[in-house]
Amino acid sequence: MAGIGWKLQRMIDRGSLAGTIGAYLTGVAVTSAPWLLTTAVLTSLRLVARRSGTEFEVIERFLTVVYAVTVVLSAPVHVVVSRFTADRLYDHHVEKIGAPLRRATALTLFMFAVTGLVLVLLMRLPLPLAVVGAPLCAIIGAQWLMLSVGGGMTSPVVVLRAFGVGAPLSLLAAWVFDHSFGFGPAGYLYGFAAGQLATLGMLVQGVARAVPGRADEAARLLPAFREYRLLAFSALAYYLSIWADKVVVYLVMGGDAAAFYAAIAAIAWFSVIPAFAWIYVQIETSFYQRFRAFYSDIEVGASLKQLKERADRISVEARRILRGAGIVQASASGIAIAAAPILVRAVGLSPDATPLFRMAAIGAAAQMLTLLEVLLLYYFDLRRDALLISTGLLAGETAFTLAAWGAGWPPVVGYVVACGMTAAAGAILVRRRLSTLVLDTFQSQPFGVA
Amino acid sequence: MASTSTSPIPDVCLLVEGTYPFVAGGVSSWVHDIIRGHPELTFAVLNVGSHPAAYGEPRYQLPENVVGLHRVFCQETARAPLTGDERAELREEIRRMRDSADARTEPSRVLEGLRRLHLEEDADPEIWRGILTDLAAADLSLPELLYGRASFDLLTAIAEQVASEAPFLDLFWHYRAIHVPVLRLLAAPVVEATCYHAVSTGYAGLVASVWSHRTGRQMALTEHGIYSRERDMELARADWIRDAAEADDGGFGLRTATWAPRISPLRRLWSRFFRGLSRLTYAQATRILTLSDVNRKKQIADGAPVDKIDIVPNGVDLPAEPPPLLEADAAAADGHDVIELRPAPMRVGFVGRVVPIKDLITFIRACDEALRSVELDVRVIGPMEEDGGYASRCRDLVARLGRAEQIKFLGPMPPAKIYPDLDVVVLTSFSEGQPLVILEAYACGVPVIATDVGACREMVEGRTPADRAIGPSGFVTRVATPKETATALVTLARDPKLRRRMGAAGRKRVTTFYQRQDMLAAYRALYGSMGAAGPAVAAAKGDAPAGNVTAEA
């Protein structure tokens, strides 16, 4: 984290517009590129398939489910693994990273292969699709794990190169398998899987280079799952919340309504990219520096007065980032809302989707702010608070989406209300915790233990 | 609290800090003597220790009239490193404890007492009795102290008012280190007794004061050394307190002639705390007994009420047989006890624990210096295991000086075998109360060279005009000045008659002013005045004096 932070800071410190833009584009690349490229490939596949008249719906539905399931199930793993990795980097025990990571990767591949098998059976995929469906689930699950570790240990170039090469390769391979080998619709899945495998291969190679060769085989990851279980649950709850409203819509309104709803939500989610990039750069640069300064000052013997000043600076900085994120997001949301008819038309949705899209954009903005609050709570190791916000978001989305449907309103209203309320609660909680940072830092210390 | 008791309410509960019966030394010998000297009374002993692993087996056979031995510890033995799972559990436990601590509605009186203990400047005993009343409320749990917001508010108040420059991280841990023992001691169940007798201020004095306050029973205090002053000396040398010294010299390690260390705010904090404990004890004690006029003045300076203080010097029994006479001197003895003179080398003894506060290093250097001029046979007599590192340093120094032939480490020996074989006893301590060693030496007609600490000067030169008229019974030197001690050694080695004269003066001094029976009579009267009347009263109340302690829990 610190490494990329310094690079970003150097770019900003050049004082030129190009340097600043470069820093924020790096933020876009790191936070959104894998997701953008994957989405682009899936959209392109859909367009190519439609043009060639292929029945693509089954594959599209399967891929959507695979991504949803892997994102949700791998979230606890990658949060714990990245935290474990960060801790080992911090305490200079890098030799303890390699072996647990290897085992975690193997276990992830196995577990998601089983998950994929269950999915193909549940979705009754034909055999040619099922043969590649299960391995694809394992590949994508492992990608999330590598992304979480790679983000902390490797250069962003590794991640960008893996997805930059893998995404077009998926598209190309899909086209080749369909047209040259006559695989039909299954060819798209084979081609896509081949591209994703290449992406995973490049990620693994990049991470393997970053992990020191000297490995402590006795190092174990399981205790970290116990120690960071609140973080794991928090991540699980947050990622479940991304899908909770869609699942509710699917259950109460059926598949077509859910597909329509999901499409609107997916497009609206694009409006958070600028704010994501802005948050990423701010957190990794100025906020991280103030955060480190606070803890370094504790270690080097700062007085209470000095620590209070440092804590105040962190608090001011956190508020600045929240405010700034709000402004950037409001601008992006404003543009999205104003351009809603054009955007809705461009993606092939009916004009009825326009007001719903506008509301979804507002909900996405609030959800993005909630994520920022959860990240700030993670930063200060306030796991229980982070879990509270994440589960609040999950429960809120589920309940309010259901309530909106019950009241005869569009489900997106429930989504907006839930995200808005959670973002507000999160802001209050972050503000309150930062006001007692010195107290919490010290009075949480155990006594009489090594 | 670990305890072994076989009796109804004892007459006296003696409260000691870390000493009797587990550590040999002057205070422990004194306690042992007090108990044995009052066979008509029953005693309970409360030993305030640091943690269970710090002490071994008792070093004293408890007398028959000890009816209970109780132990209370300021700390727990450190736990093993935690696993990730245990750390997570602990984290959750702390969170729950924090929630419960912050849910408290009534402010804690103990916290208020601790706040005043640290921040109060006035020595008025009434104020300190008020602080004691707050502390005796014992309404603060350990989790509330460690994790509560109110406790942190106290920490910040201390930081802002008395330790604003201190590294806050250090202050935080020192805050805990100071107060966790206090809370443990406040929580200790009261040992019932007719009266309480603390053998120091500090933690033992705190417990005695709180118990006296809670039960309404009277309490006496005997201070051998002045506790707060002794702690100040230890604090000055303590390497577990991080100083701002590095900053004082600009961080370059260049300490010029004008460089002087600032008093670390953390040392100041501890010092104020110990002084506060002394003031609490002085305020609650019915009587305050000290060994010398020097100590009395220090106690008054530290806030002890003048009208409570009595001087009761230590005392020893004179040997049944007077010191042998040299035939040549028998005629000149004129009926007085005189001391045998032996040919060279002069036999020099250091009698005491080999610990830094005794400054054996200065003693060795002084002997080395004196050995360049006269012949000496030097013996270091006393236990060496209390501070093994320091003992090794002393042995190494002797070896490095090439004096292994002349300076020998003999380990502990019974007093009866020590003094008849010595011509002079030397004390080079940084701090003393009224050293028993000097009285024991005097009883055997052995003169003393002692540093000017505690009651040493008045023991050597006399306290009252009548005492001074006896003449000096040795030499007084400054602390940590080997040259002065060496000069005194050479003088005594070259002038056997002076040695004899001083030895005789010592014996006369101890015969006149420092008899054990006088000391015991004073304490008998004290205990009587506090309601501890012995078996007659106990029998009238229907209580039976009890058997002895047989085991230590």
Side-chain angles (χ1 to χ4, degrees), chain A residues 174-436:
Chain A
W175 188 84
V176 170
F177 273 93
D178 180 27
H179 288 81
S180 302
F181 299 110
F183 276 77
Y188 288 99
L189 200 57
Y190 280 85
F192 182 76
Q196 295 308 304
L197 184 61
T199 303
L200 177 62
M202 281 183 277
L203 282 174
V204 169
Q205 189 188 35
V207 170
R209 279 187 187 152
V211 172
R214 185 169 49 93
D216 178 1
E217 293 297 330
R220 294 172 69 235
L221 191 60
L222 191 60
F225 275 95
R226 294 197 190 109
E227 188 170 355
Y228 303 128
R229 58 178 177 257
L230 293 182
L231 284 182
F233 286 132
S234 168
L236 182 66
Y238 187 85
Y239 280 94
L240 273 175
S241 76
I242 292 174
W243 296 96
D245 52 332
K246 295 155 190 85
V247 172
V248 169
V249 172
Y250 175 80
L251 292 175
V252 298
M253 297 175 75
D256 290 343
F260 180 65
Y261 179 80
I264 292 169
I267 302 160
W269 192 247
F270 278 89
S271 66
V272 305
I273 292 173
F276 255 149
W278 195 85
I279 289 167
Y280 176 78
V281 172
Q282 298 303 317
I283 291 270
E284 290 289 349
T285 54
S286 56
F287 184 80
Y288 178 76
Q289 285 162 23
R290 280 163 180 72
F291 175 85
R292 280 301 304 157
F294 176 71
Y295 289 101
S296 299
D297 278 6
I298 289 176
E299 288 170 12
V300 299
S303 65
L304 175 63
K305 189 179 170 203
Q306 290 165 324
L307 290 181
K308 280 184 171 174
E309 284 169 5
R310 287 290 190 200
D312 284 345
R313 282 186 209 174
I314 291 179
S315 197
V316 167
E317 183 65 12
R319 284 202 297 272
R320 188 186 71 80
I321 293 175
L322 274 168
R323 204 169 44 242
I327 292 168
V328 173
Q329 185 56 54
S331 307
S333 299
I335 292 168
I337 288 168
I342 303 166
L343 293 171
V344 165
R345 199 165 49 246
V347 296
L349 292 170
S350 69
D352 298 348
T354 303
L356 302 178
F357 170 78
R358 285 176 170 146
M359 296 192 76
I362 294 169
Q367 191 165 4
M368 189 281 308
L369 287 175
T370 306
L371 179 62
L372 171 59
E373 289 151 6
V374 170
L375 287 176
L376 287 172
L377 294 170
Y378 280 169
Y379 241 89
F380 293 100
D381 210 12
L382 296 165
R383 305 167 198 185
R384 185 160 288 276
D385 293 330
L387 178 62
L388 186 71
I389 295 296
S390 303
T391 47
L393 183 64
L394 172 62
E397 279 192 22
T398 309
F400 283 109
T401 306
L402 208 54
W405 168 77
W409 296 339
V412 72
V413 173
Y415 170 70
V416 172
V417 171
C419 293
M421 286 176 65
T422 316
I428 293 167
L429 194 59
V430 167
R431 190 186 175 89
R432 189 176 292 173
R433 290 294 181 244
L434 287 176
S435 72
T436 57

Side-chain angles (χ1 to χ4, degrees), chain B residues 3-16:
Chain B
S3 61
T4 305
S5 179
T6 58
S7 161
I9 295 177
D11 297 308
V12 182
C13 178
L14 277 164
L15 297 99
V16 298

Side-chain angles (χ1 to χ4, degrees), chain A residues 226-227 229-230 298 301-304 307-308 381 383-384 436 439-440 442-449, chain B residues 79 84-85 87-92 94-95 98 146-149 152 160 164 166-168 172-173 176:
Chain A
R226 294 197 190 109
E227 188 170 355
R229 58 178 177 257
L230 293 182
I298 289 176
S303 65
L304 175 63
L307 290 181
K308 280 184 171 174
D381 210 12
R383 305 167 198 185
R384 185 160 288 276
T436 57
L439 166 77
D440 291 334
F442 284 91
Q443 292 298 78
S444 300
Q445 295 301 313
F447 183 75
V449 295
Chain B
R79 286 197 265 173
D85 204 12
R87 254 200 315 273
E89 284 298 326
L90 179 63
R91 196 185 167 83
E92 280 305 294
I94 289 173
R95 190 194 59 76
R98 285 193 66 189
L146 293 173
Y147 310 117
R149 176 187 283 265
F152 192 76
E160 283 160 1
S164 59
F168 190 69
F172 169 75
W173 290 111
R176 286 183 163 189

